[in-house]
């Protein structure tokens, strides 16, 4: 209710464009383009910006980046293609309205540097070229055993050796699996029949048939039986079982590292003189612990779960070396935890309660125990006064609580039914839908091109609004090629690539609880394209065919010697460093990344260093230097 009242009482400014995009731009294929504009007001946090191309929403990606910050809106196309040509516009929405910028016409001029159409007129020529490629591959490619993918189940050809090590020593279990060239083999290690958990201390290695399990340092709990399981699509195999025995080391080193003569000299220096002769064991007294004062307070009354409580008593531990304090309640040993704690420090034995429950009531006493005897304190009484139930069941609402609870329950029921209006409003009072902007007649299309149809509908915030798209009186079938959506008063139909059977009349029917409205109809015409190109694409009387026939005749007539099957390794000659591509100047906004690219050639591989104002740059943030 507070949020709805805030929306009804809030007064703001509708978004508007204070600077429009430039009207048109023309770039070459591959160039970058930026389309920017400015909107107001700047302090509206509910404002959102969306870019459209030819009336359809434009999705951002690795090639398309959008920016919206403090009224500045921009669209960056890092690399343009001919299909990016079209009209671009920006739509800004907020809680107080929306606005759309003027369209910008972008033209991308295609490059003719790459020929993608086939140059061959006959299917037989394609087969001849394929046979020619196979003969060239057979001559120049060395068939290695590892390059052939075998069709057999894995098999272990090396046994795993057992190991006996001390704690903190490294261990490696090694074995080999065939076939080594099968990239589909999966290897897993087991300890006592359970898969081994890998991490920073335990690592597994598998490289062309070689597999190993490495432990950088061992613990005694790593001892057990280890084996390896290899699996591919033809079957699985298990290696032999190896045993690992890891003996624990002493936590504290007590053995002396000094020679025997040095140890004897130290012992003579540590011997007592006559004045420091220790007392005989039979003359030493065995004093047991004893309490010097009664337990305080003798009686304690505390409200339940309201305040802490404590008992304490002064005591003499005697001359024992191991003195322990035990507390009893009605003869039962008290269990300590986060709520009840106890201790014996500096001659004071104490028991503390963080808060008292009713089951803590009783008679308490303390017992001090050492190797020379024990002592028991006087008794003290603890009484826990009930402070009410632990669960609050009474209403905490002020005033008429019963009426407030009924109002809350009624509000929750209305929210569960999904009503868009506030309590007391009738859904039938919502106005019927109105088409603000109808469908635009699309141009004639070729097979494979995109089609987009868009409507603008009011009311834009009606949650019961639905849009049905029709083609020649039948509902449009949706799928991976055909998409529809309706969001914030904009409804569109998008066909990723059209076929000839997509031609026909399209319109939409908009409905809500108050009525329905039908949009205007548009005719879509899609021309079918040729499936197979049979005409020659070669200029100049097809001279390329004669050259191909001459090459084929030479291969057929020329004898093939055994030296042609030998593998010859190409040795690249050494050369001095040379910059094939020089760095280019870059102008960017503050906070944006900048990239400088060069291409080097030379053997041996040159070493590269970057300089900024004649000073070498280190590879630290914000600089990232790489050389491949």
């Amino acid at each position: 209710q507070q949020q709805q009242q805030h929306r009804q009482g809030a007064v703001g400014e509708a978004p508007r464009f204070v600077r429009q995009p430039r009207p048109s731009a023309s770039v070459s294929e591959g160039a970058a383009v930026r389309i920017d504009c400015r909107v107001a007001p700047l302090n509206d946090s509910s404002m959102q910006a969306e870019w459209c191309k030819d009336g359809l929403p434009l999705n951002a990606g690795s090639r398309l980046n959008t920016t919206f910050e403090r009224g500045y809106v921009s669209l960056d196309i890092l690399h343009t293609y001919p299909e990016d040509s079209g009209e671009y516009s920006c739509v800004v929405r907020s809680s107080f309205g929306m606005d759309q910028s003027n369209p910008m016409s972008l033209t991308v001029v295609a490059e003719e540097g790459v020929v993608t159409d086939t140059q061959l007129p006959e299917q037989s020529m394609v087969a001849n070229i394929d046979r020619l490629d196979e003969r060239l591959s057979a001559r120049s490619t060395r068939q290695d055993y590892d390059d052939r993918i075998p069709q057999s189940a894995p098999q272990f050809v090396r046994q795993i050796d057992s190991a006996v090590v001390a704690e903190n020593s490294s261990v490696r279990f090694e074995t080999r699996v065939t076939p080594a060239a099968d990239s589909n083999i999966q290897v897993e290690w087991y300890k006592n029949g359970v898969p081994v958990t890998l991490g920073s201390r335990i690592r597994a290695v598998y490289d062309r048939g070689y597999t190993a399990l490495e432990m950088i340092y061992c613990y005694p709990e790593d001892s057990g039986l280890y084996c390896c399981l290899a699996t591919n699509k033809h079957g699985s195999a298990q290696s032999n079982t190896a045993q690992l025995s890891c003996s624990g080391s002493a936590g504290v080193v007590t053995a002396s590292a000094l020679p025997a003569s040095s140890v004897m000299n130290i012992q003579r220096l540590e011997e007592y003189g006559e004045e420091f002769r220790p007392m005989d064991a039979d003359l030493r007294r065995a004093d047991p612990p004893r309490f010097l004062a009664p337990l305080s307070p003798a009686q304690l009354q505390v409200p339940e779960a309201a305040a802490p409580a404590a008992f304490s008593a002064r005591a003499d531990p005697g001359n024992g070396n191991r003195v322990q304090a035990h507390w009893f309640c009605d003869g039962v040993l008290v269990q300590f935890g986060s709520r009840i704690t106890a201790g014996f420090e500096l001659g004071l034995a104490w028991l503390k309660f963080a808060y008292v429950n009713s089951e803590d009531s009783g008679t308490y006493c303390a017992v001090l125990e050492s190797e020379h005897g024990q002592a028991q304190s006087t008794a003290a009484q603890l009484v826990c006064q009930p402070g009410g139930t632990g669960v609050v069941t009474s209403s905490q609402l002020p005033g008429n609580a019963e009426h407030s609870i009924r109002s809350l329950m009624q509000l929750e029921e209305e929210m569960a039914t999904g009503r868009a209006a506030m309590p007391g409003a009738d859904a039938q009072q919502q106005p019927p839908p109105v088409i603000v902007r109808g469908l635009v007649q699309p141009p004639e299309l070729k097979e494979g091109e995109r089609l987009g149809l868009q409507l603008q509908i009011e009311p834009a915030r009606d949650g019961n609004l639905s849009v049905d798209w029709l083609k020649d009186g039948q509902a449009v079938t949706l799928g991976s090629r055909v998409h529809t959506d309706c969001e914030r008063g904009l409804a569109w139909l998008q066909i990723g690539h059209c076929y000839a059977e997509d031609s026909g009349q399209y319109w939409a029917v908009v409905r809500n609880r108050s009525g329905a409205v039908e949009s205007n109809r548009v005719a879509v015409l899609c021309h079918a394209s040729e499936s197979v190109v049979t005409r020659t694409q070669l200029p100049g009387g097809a001279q390329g065919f004669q050259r191909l026939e001459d090459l084929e005749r030479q291969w057929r007539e020329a004898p093939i010697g055994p030296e042609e099957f030998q593998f010859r390794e190409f040795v690249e000659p050494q050369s001095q460093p040379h910059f094939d591509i020089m760095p280019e100047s870059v102008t960017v906004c503050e906070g944006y990344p900048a990239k400088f690219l060069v291409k080097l050639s030379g053997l041996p591989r040159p070493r590269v260093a970057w300089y900024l104002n004649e000073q070498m740059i280190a590879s630290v943030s914000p600089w990232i230097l790489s050389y491949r």
Side-chain angles (χ1 to χ4, degrees):
Q1 290 177 351
Q2 293 178 358
Q3 293 177 358
Q4 184 67 17
Q5 294 173 2
H6 175 72
R7 295 193 188 99
Q8 295 176 355
V11 178
E13 182 181 355
R16 69 181 187 282
F17 284 88
V18 297
R19 192 185 74 184
Q20 299 286 345
R22 50 182 173 173
S24 63
S26 178
V27 296
S28 301
E29 182 179 359
V33 174
R34 168 171 288 184
I35 308 172
D36 56 354
C37 54
R38 286 191 175 273
V39 297
L42 305 180
N43 57 354
D44 191 351
S45 60
S46 65
M47 190 180 301
Q48 297 180 358
E50 184 179 15
W51 287 91
C52 299
K53 174 180 178 291
D54 297 332
L56 297 178
L58 195 62
N59 297 325
S62 60
R63 192 169 61 87
L64 304 178
N65 296 332
T66 60
T67 303
F68 182 32
E69 183 175 1
R70 296 190 62 82
Y72 176 76
V73 188
S74 66
L75 170 65
D76 292 322
I77 305 178
L78 304 182
H79 186 90
T80 55
Y81 295 126
E83 53 266 25
D84 293 330
S85 300
E87 291 188 351
Y88 292 81
S89 60
C90 181
V91 178
V92 180
R93 302 180 180 87
S94 71
S95 301
F96 307 102
M98 63 173 290
D99 192 12
Q100 183 172 359
S101 67
N102 297 334
M104 171 190 169
S105 178
L106 175 64
T107 304
V108 181
V109 182
E111 294 183 356
E112 299 295 337
V114 180
V115 179
T116 58
D117 297 333
T118 178
Q119 307 293 310
L120 301 177
E122 299 179 0
Q123 187 66 23
S124 59
M125 192 60 66
V126 177
N128 293 336
I129 293 178
D130 292 339
R131 288 195 298 270
L132 183 60
D133 290 339
E134 292 176 1
R135 295 181 61 184
L136 290 174
S137 312
R139 293 186 179 189
S140 60
T141 304
R142 181 178 61 180
Q143 296 295 334
D144 222 353
Y145 171 78
D146 289 340
D147 294 335
R148 298 194 301 267
I149 300 177
Q151 303 293 330
S152 61
Q155 183 179 0
F156 287 91
V157 296
R158 178 178 174 180
Q159 299 291 329
I160 306 177
D161 299 331
S162 301
V164 178
V165 297
E167 187 177 1
N168 294 327
S169 300
S170 61
V171 175
R172 178 190 289 266
F173 293 114
E174 298 177 336
T175 183
R176 279 195 171 274
V177 184
T178 59
D182 191 354
S183 60
N184 297 322
I185 289 183
Q186 296 182 358
V187 176
E188 190 171 7
W189 288 86
Y190 288 83
K191 173 195 171 187
N192 297 332
V194 180
V196 177
T197 302
L198 305 180
S200 59
R201 185 175 65 90
I202 303 177
R203 297 177 297 182
V205 178
Y206 178 73
D207 186 10
R208 299 184 65 83
Y210 172 79
T211 178
L213 179 67
E214 183 180 6
M215 299 183 186
I216 301 177
Y217 49 90
C218 291
Y219 294 143
E221 52 267 24
D222 293 330
S223 300
L225 300 177
Y226 289 80
C227 66
C228 182
L229 180 65
T231 307
N232 65 0
K233 62 181 180 179
H234 300 288
S236 61
Q238 181 176 339
S239 67
N240 66 305
T241 302
Q243 184 174 6
L244 173 63
S245 299
C246 179
S247 58
S249 59
V252 179
V253 179
T254 57
S256 175
L258 298 175
S261 59
S262 300
V263 174
M264 294 177 61
N265 293 332
I266 293 176
Q267 290 178 352
R268 284 197 300 268
L269 292 175
E270 292 179 347
E271 291 180 355
Y272 292 102
E274 289 294 332
E275 64 276 13
F276 297 105
R277 185 175 60 184
M279 185 181 302
D280 295 336
D282 55 347
L283 298 179
R284 295 183 58 185
R285 294 180 303 170
D287 295 336
R290 59 192 180 91
F291 282 92
L292 304 178
L295 203 60
S296 176
Q299 186 173 5
L300 185 62
Q301 295 183 358
V302 182
E304 183 180 4
F311 293 106
S312 62
R314 301 293 301 179
D316 180 10
N319 58 356
N321 296 324
R322 297 181 298 275
V323 180
Q324 298 180 354
H326 304 284
W327 289 84
F328 293 87
C329 175
D330 297 333
V332 180
L333 184 65
V334 177
Q335 300 295 329
F336 305 124
S338 59
R339 188 175 64 89
I340 305 176
T341 57
F344 180 65
E345 297 176 354
L346 301 176
L348 181 66
W350 48 267
L351 175 66
K352 294 182 179 179
F353 297 84
Y355 55 90
V356 179
N357 295 331
S358 58
E359 57 268 17
D360 295 330
S361 300
T363 303
Y364 287 82
C365 66
V367 175
L368 290 179
E369 183 179 3
S370 69
E371 65 268 24
H372 302 309
Q374 63 180 7
Q376 182 175 346
S377 68
T378 59
Q381 190 74 21
L382 174 62
V383 178
C384 178
Q385 299 175 352
T389 59
V391 179
V392 178
T393 58
S394 59
S395 174
Q396 304 298 309
L397 297 175
N400 191 353
E402 185 177 356
H403 177 71
S404 301
I405 292 175
R406 286 199 303 267
S407 300
L408 290 175
M409 294 176 62
Q410 181 181 2
L411 179 60
E412 290 177 355
E413 291 177 358
E414 293 176 353
M415 293 178 64
T417 56
R419 292 185 57 186
M422 292 302 297
D426 190 0
Q428 297 297 332
Q429 297 179 0
Q430 292 289 339
V434 178
I435 297 179
V436 180
R437 185 174 62 185
L439 300 177
V440 179
Q441 176 66 40
E444 295 185 1
L445 304 174
K446 295 182 180 180
E447 187 174 357
E449 293 183 347
R450 297 175 58 185
L451 171 64
L453 302 177
Q454 185 175 3
L455 284 173
Q456 185 173 354
I457 309 166
E458 290 291 344
R461 298 184 179 273
D462 189 356
N464 300 315
L465 202 65
S466 64
V467 180
D468 298 327
W469 291 88
L470 303 177
K471 170 183 175 290
D472 297 333
Q474 301 293 330
V476 176
T477 303
L478 305 181
S480 59
R481 188 173 62 89
V482 183
H483 302 275
T484 63
D485 202 351
C486 179
E487 182 179 1
R488 296 192 176 186
L490 291 178
W492 60 84
L493 168 68
Q494 181 177 357
I495 302 179
H497 49 277
C498 293
Y499 296 140
E501 52 268 23
D502 292 329
S503 301
Q505 282 193 349
Y506 288 80
W507 68 92
V509 177
V510 185
R511 297 183 177 89
N512 67 357
R513 294 183 178 180
S514 300
V517 64
E518 184 177 315
S519 69
N520 62 312
R521 304 188 182 190
V522 294
V524 176
L525 179 60
C526 180
H527 298 283
S529 60
E530 294 182 282
S531 301
V532 179
V533 179
T534 58
R535 300 185 303 274
T536 178
Q537 305 295 318
L538 293 176
Q543 297 295 329
F545 294 113
Q546 299 179 3
R547 179 58 180 165
L548 291 175
E549 291 178 354
D550 294 341
L551 290 176
E552 291 179 356
R553 185 171 58 256
Q554 293 176 8
W555 279 103
R556 289 193 300 268
E557 296 176 357
I560 301 175
E563 64 277 359
E564 297 189 20
F565 291 98
Q566 297 179 0
F567 174 75
R568 299 183 180 91
E569 184 177 0
F570 175 73
V571 179
E572 184 178 356
Q574 295 188 357
S575 60
Q576 62 182 0
H578 180 265
F579 283 93
D580 300 330
I581 298 178
M582 301 296 292
E584 298 180 357
S585 301
V586 179
T587 302
V588 297
C589 297
E590 182 178 1
Y592 281 73
K595 183 177 182 180
F596 297 95
L597 175 67
V598 298
K599 183 178 180 182
L600 288 171
S601 61
L603 191 69
R605 183 178 182 179
R607 298 177 60 185
V608 180
W610 288 87
Y611 288 81
L612 173 63
N613 298 330
E614 300 183 356
Q615 293 186 1
M616 184 180 294
I617 300 175
S619 181
V620 295
S621 178
W623 303 93
I624 301 177
L625 310 181
S626 63
Y627 180 36
R628 302 175 182 175

